[in-house]
Amino acid sequence: MSVTNMCADLQRGLGELFSCAPHGEFQCIRTPYLYPDGDNIDLFVKANGDVASVSDLGETLRWLRTQTVSPRRSPKQNALIADACLTHGVELYKGMLLARCRPGDSLAEVTLRVAQACLRVSDLWFTFRTRAVESVTDEVADFLMERQFSFEHGAKLLGRSGRGWTVDFHVRVPAQSSLVYVLSTGSRSAARSVAEHVLAAWYDLSHLAAGPEALRFVSLFDDTADVWTPEDFRLVEPLSAVTRWSQPDEFAQVLAEAA
Amino acid sequence: MALTQTEFEAMLNDATKCIVGDIAWQMDEDHSPCLDFRAEVLSGSGWPLFVRGSLNPLIPALSYMLILKTEGRVYGLDMGKDHHNPQCQQVGECHKHRWTEQLRDKEAYVPVDIAASPAQPVDVWLQFCAEAGIDHRGRMLPPPPQTGELFL
């Protein structure tokens, strides 16, 4: 195949990858692009006078919502969506990705812009925690940054026994600094040993909770998975403030308040 | 610890799975034309499961997903949009995802047990629950009608 033939073949073939058919009050464009699980990305066009709107009708964010355990998107995810919209010149309106095709515009170009935005936005799926890209500890770090807490991630501290412990966060606020362990597991059978590990750490580090610069101990349970029993909470409660990741505002309040 | 095929099959075949209470469709976080609901799934084995429903009445497109909190979607029904399998076949606009160790939830198939259309979300719900082995001790309220101009 010559280079000229290749280009002609490409020109013919690319157009054929997009199909268009009436769909109620819209024209439905089936694109060759796929959401990360393999579902097709469809776009919908509706004309109003000289202007046509090309939209996903909210399908991309609907698809994202059906893939996640989180009830809401994080501020970081919303910022990534806004960035994708900016890059491709696409408007996010009532959960729909859309762009106008004005007189003189190419419908093909507008369609590709919206389709690319759908791809970029749906790729947020790769940041979901169940896809093992981001852990709950990463989410907590994002949260601390958003709330403008000064913190050290993965603080290494020496226990009274001589054993070293890696605490998830050392958070410094004007009133009193805190050490934070994030308790997270997807398995009920592992939940108890996680709580026991944190209990041992707080006990061995208890010398840091005394004196004029006493540190406050905070146990943050990732309760997005229903794996914890009341006994797990009670195990660490005598030595630490117990907080839940489902209630991030309370977690922030515990960090911020004075001793 | 990663989910295994044996665990998944045990979870799906667990006949004690149930949802207690009525289900009402709600506006989503974007105030889009779509409607959502989330319902916790209880079971004797204690799997951390919930069902998420999602409806786009403009298309109409309907999804019911069984989500394992530690894994993501493990079982689900999609209606109103086509799916492309990793083997490069198009499956069709009514398809189900069933988790496997090899492909997770990426492979879909055409279900034989869904006779209702995506415009009948309550009927589809009953059919979905029957095959997923979920006893819904309550009723699903029909979605509220859409009002207002869309975007033009």
Side-chain angles (χ1 to χ4, degrees):
Chain A
M1 182 184 279
S2 71
V3 173
T4 315
N5 286 347
M6 284 166 69
C7 290
D9 187 45
L10 205 63
Q11 279 183 334
R12 272 196 310 274
L14 278 180
E16 288 168 7
L17 292 174
F18 292 77
S19 66
C20 190
H23 189 94
E25 59 184 312
F26 303 99
Q27 294 290 319
C28 174
I29 301 171
R30 174 142 299 163
T31 76
Y33 300 126
L34 304 174
Y35 291 117
D37 73 338
D39 282 355
N40 280 93
I41 295 179
D42 292 337
L43 299 178
F44 300 85
V45 186
K46 187 177 178 184
N48 185 8
D50 286 346
V51 179
S53 287
V54 181
S55 168
D56 71 341
L57 293 183
E59 278 296 283
T60 304
L61 290 180
R62 188 180 83 87
W63 181 88
L64 260 185
R65 279 192 299 275
T66 60
Q67 303 293 317
T68 174
V69 299
S70 305
R72 301 182 76 81
R73 291 188 301 272
S74 68
K76 184 178 171 185
Q77 288 168 336
N78 282 328
L80 291 170
I81 291 170
D83 198 47
C85 290
L86 186 64
T87 300
H88 296 293
V90 166
E91 182 180 4
L92 178 62
Y93 175 68
K94 290 189 177 178
M96 297 179 280
L97 297 168
L98 51 90
R100 291 176 182 84
C101 183
R102 299 183 176 88
D105 288 348
S106 154
L107 180 61
E109 186 269 331
V110 175
T111 299
L112 270 185
R113 260 172 38 211
V114 179
Q116 275 194 285
C118 294
L119 270 180
R120 290 271 189 284
V121 169
S122 65
D123 280 349
L124 280 181
W125 175 83
F126 292 108
T127 69
F128 288 169
R129 188 144 53 86
T130 47
R131 301 297 161 194
V133 176
E134 186 172 62
S135 70
V136 67
T137 314
D138 296 327
E139 288 180 11
V140 176
D142 289 344
F143 175 78
L144 292 173
M145 273 194 278
E146 281 159 22
R147 297 295 180 99
Q148 299 184 324
F149 282 104
S150 171
F151 67 92
E152 179 187 2
H153 195 165
K156 295 191 188 315
L157 299 164
L158 197 63
R160 288 181 294 140
S161 67
R163 175 178 171 174
W165 298 90
T166 303
V167 180
D168 291 313
F169 299 100
H170 182 169
V171 184
R172 194 164 196 288
V173 297
Q176 184 183 19
S177 296
S178 298
L179 297 179
V180 180
Y181 258 116
V182 181
L183 293 86
S184 180
T185 174
S187 157
R188 283 188 179 174
S189 56
R192 178 56 52 87
S193 58
V194 170
E196 287 172 349
H197 174 84
V198 172
L199 172 68
W202 291 148
Y203 185 79
D204 205 25
L205 295 170
S206 58
H207 60 290
L208 300 175
E213 289 301 325
L215 297 169
R216 183 165 200 190
F217 294 167
V218 179
S219 300
L220 176 62
F221 283 84
D222 172 20
D223 55 348
T224 52
D226 183 22
V227 297
W228 306 104
T229 64
E231 290 79 18
D232 296 324
F233 294 100
R234 283 202 292 271
L235 260 181
V236 296
E237 200 166 25
L239 296 180
S240 62
V242 171
T243 56
R244 291 167 172 78
W245 187 226
S246 62
Q247 297 164 1
D249 289 337
E250 287 182 19
F251 169 58
Q253 195 179 339
V254 166
L255 293 178
E257 71 190 12
Chain B
M1 215 171 78
L3 182 69
T4 66
Q5 196 67 46
T6 309
E7 286 175 319
F8 168 74
E9 299 297 342
M11 184 192 311
L12 203 61
N13 294 328
D14 181 355
T16 67
K17 294 195 299 294
C18 72
I19 293 171
V20 179
D22 293 345
I23 290 174
W25 292 92
Q26 315 261 337
M27 188 175 272
D28 65 38
E29 66 173 304
D30 298 300
H31 305 286
S32 81
C34 304
L35 298 163
D36 286 348
F37 73 82
R38 173 180 166 142
E40 297 296 319
V41 177
L42 309 173
S43 71
S45 317
W47 298 103
L49 287 168
F50 68 90
V51 169
R52 175 163 278 168
S54 178
L55 170 67
N56 188 338
L58 296 175
I59 294 180
L62 176 67
S63 302
Y64 292 126
M65 307 289 172
L66 184 62
I67 295 180
L68 180 64
K69 291 176 184 173
T70 53
E71 178 66 30
R73 180 177 63 175
V74 289
Y75 187 76
L77 168 69
D78 279 323
M79 301 177 86
K81 62 179 170 188
D82 205 346
H83 180 84
H84 182 92
N85 267 344
Q87 301 86 354
C88 282
Q89 317 119 342
Q90 289 298 126
V91 183
E93 292 206 349
C94 176
H95 59 265
K96 268 189 175 170
H97 294 262
R98 188 186 169 100
W99 189 91
T100 62
E101 268 184 30
Q102 191 186 10
L103 296 170
R104 297 199 308 251
D105 64 347
K106 286 183 188 292
E107 193 172 40
Y109 62 96
V110 178
V112 294
D113 54 323
I114 305 295
S117 82
Q120 302 167 292
V122 178
D123 295 334
V124 175
W125 171 246
L126 297 175
Q127 292 164 359
F128 173 79
C129 285
E131 209 221 357
I134 298 170
D135 175 18
H136 181 195
R137 297 173 193 164
R139 65 194 179 104
M140 172 181 278
L141 306 174
Q146 292 286 305
T147 55
E149 184 50 73
L150 188 56
F151 53 77
L152 290 174

